[in-house]
Amino acid sequence: MPAAPDLPPPPRYVPATLLAVLLLRHPLGYVGWLLASVGIVLATTFAAFSEPLVDPFGEGARRGLGRVAKVEATDGRVNGRRVRRVVFEWPASDPRHVGTAYTDATPPQPGAEIPIEWLPGDPPRARPVGMRSAPIPAFVRFVFAFPVLGAGLVVAGAWAGWRRARALRDGAFVHGTLVAAERTLTQINNKRVHKLTYRYVDASGAERELHVRSTQFGPLGATTVLAHVPGTTSVVKLDDLPVVPRLGEDGVFEPPGFGPLAMALLLPTAAAVAWSLAQALVATIG
């Protein structure tokens, strides 16, 4: 039976590196960083080559006639249709201006006159009516949902990690007894996840229950060490921590080794690298 650690009274010191591991190494955080890494690449790339969500050619746009100078096929496709680049001229002022637009519909022939909408400025912006000013339509910007969702999961994982750290800092350590284990429909690495119920007595003498989900557990009646923050519902099963807290000779938590810290920083570093690569890709293509 695991013994509850003999610790000094709270608040206890939690090393910064142990706090980082607890904040970053949570399953929600893992999924969040993966989504953020993929989403950052997609969102950065698509943002540079797609139409804005809000059409800038609104009521202030002026109308006139332009002439198609050249039509070129691109490597892009939208809904299976080839995207074509249309180079056009229009007389926004003197001299005439040259612009580029994109369409996946049947393009006009070179030399044809086409209606143009344009915004005054330096330089002025223009596009043929019914065409795009960017190769990719605005609807592809839905990929921005991936980094936003990823960031939300990272925050949720960090909050769960903060509750773990708070339990180490301020918690009372007690024994919890496994009283129920219910199968769920979820599997992780071909292992069935179970909903576990642990019963324990908190610092005030009240009997309470902790419900967790895990693939690893002992037989009914097995005990484990829980950290319960008095006066709150915050309780942590020490076996579920990403790293087992080590105690020094003075009874204070020791910093984790290099391995757990490196694993904690791996996915955030990957997200930063993904953002840098996306920026470089946009600069190269642009």
Side-chain angles (χ1 to χ4, degrees), residues 39-60:
I40 284 172
V41 174
L42 295 177
T44 302
T45 305
F46 287 165
F49 301 105
S50 64
E51 288 275 85
L53 291 176
V54 179
D55 189 357
F57 294 89
E59 295 180 357

Side-chain angles (χ1 to χ4, degrees), residues 64-253:
L65 289 177
R67 185 183 65 85
V68 176
K70 183 169 52 174
V71 177
E72 302 172 327
T74 69
D75 294 330
R77 290 181 180 271
V78 174
N79 295 329
R81 299 189 298 268
R82 176 74 64 184
V83 175
R84 289 176 169 81
R85 182 185 301 108
V86 178
V87 180
F88 61 96
E89 299 173 345
W90 86 100
S93 60
D94 191 21
R96 298 175 69 90
H97 291 269
V98 177
T100 302
Y102 298 87
T103 181
D104 52 273
T106 302
Q109 294 297 316
E113 284 195 341
I114 52 175
I116 299 293
E117 52 187 358
W118 57 280
L119 298 171
D122 187 20
R125 300 173 59 188
R127 71 179 179 190
V129 175
M131 296 189 190
R132 300 188 299 271
S133 55
I136 306 176
F139 72 81
V140 301
R141 293 193 177 226
F142 78 90
V143 297
F144 280 93
F146 289 104
V148 171
L149 177 60
L153 292 176
V154 167
V155 171
W159 173 250
W162 171 252
R163 293 186 62 185
R164 291 172 167 180
R166 185 188 177 198
L168 294 181
R169 185 191 67 184
D170 300 326
F173 290 82
V174 298
H175 282 114
T177 302
L178 180 64
V179 296
E182 302 175 19
R183 289 168 58 92
T184 69
L185 299 177
T186 306
Q187 285 188 340
I188 298 178
N189 294 331
N190 295 323
K191 295 182 179 179
R192 180 70 61 181
V193 175
H194 286 69
K195 180 181 178 182
L196 309 178
T197 301
Y198 289 91
R199 188 167 296 153
Y200 66 98
V201 178
D202 66 15
S204 66
E207 189 175 87
R208 299 182 181 274
E209 289 186 349
L210 170 66
H211 301 281
V212 297
R213 294 176 184 267
S214 179
T215 58
Q216 297 181 349
F217 58 96
L220 294 182
T223 60
T224 189
V225 179
L226 307 177
H228 169 254
V229 180
T232 72
T233 59
S234 179
V235 58
V236 171
K237 180 170 170 276
L238 294 193
D239 291 343
D240 290 341
L241 296 182
V243 59
V244 178
R246 296 180 302 175
L247 298 175
E249 295 180 356
D250 54 359
V252 176
F253 292 118

